[in-house]
Amino acid sequence: MVINVASFIRIGILSIMVVIMSTAIIIYFGKWIKSIIPINLIMLLLLVHAVYIGIRCYVKNWREKRGYF
């Protein structure tokens, strides 16, 4: 039980770090990104998070199938 709570906290901290870093990058490079890619920055932020969640789910399933989890 303690290991599951610890891994859950670690995943939560990792997710928060991804949110903060991607938001900071989009804010700092916003005008540069808009000049290259004509996309709404909020949609880009949502897309980044969707890709991150997809990668996390893929890795979790990969680890479960191989007995790491």
Side-chain angles (χ1 to χ4, degrees):
M1 182 69 178
V2 174
I3 295 172
N4 290 337
V5 172
S7 67
F8 180 73
I9 291 171
R10 183 179 47 219
I11 290 173
I13 291 173
L14 181 64
S15 295
I16 291 171
M17 287 173 40
V18 168
V19 168
I20 291 171
M21 291 299 292
S22 60
T23 304
I25 289 170
I26 287 179
I27 289 171
Y28 187 76
F29 293 111
K31 289 186 181 185
W32 185 75
I33 293 170
K34 287 287 279 186
S35 68
I36 294 176
I37 304 170
I39 188 171
N40 189 345
L41 294 178
I42 294 175
M43 290 301 293
L44 180 63
L45 187 62
L46 292 174
L47 179 67
V48 167
H49 292 293
V51 169
Y52 167 70
I53 290 170
I55 290 171
R56 244 180 68 187
C57 291
Y58 174 77
V59 169
K60 182 179 178 186
N61 289 335
W62 183 84
R63 289 178 70 186
E64 285 176 352
K65 286 181 183 176
R66 285 159 183 79
Y68 292 112
F69 219 20

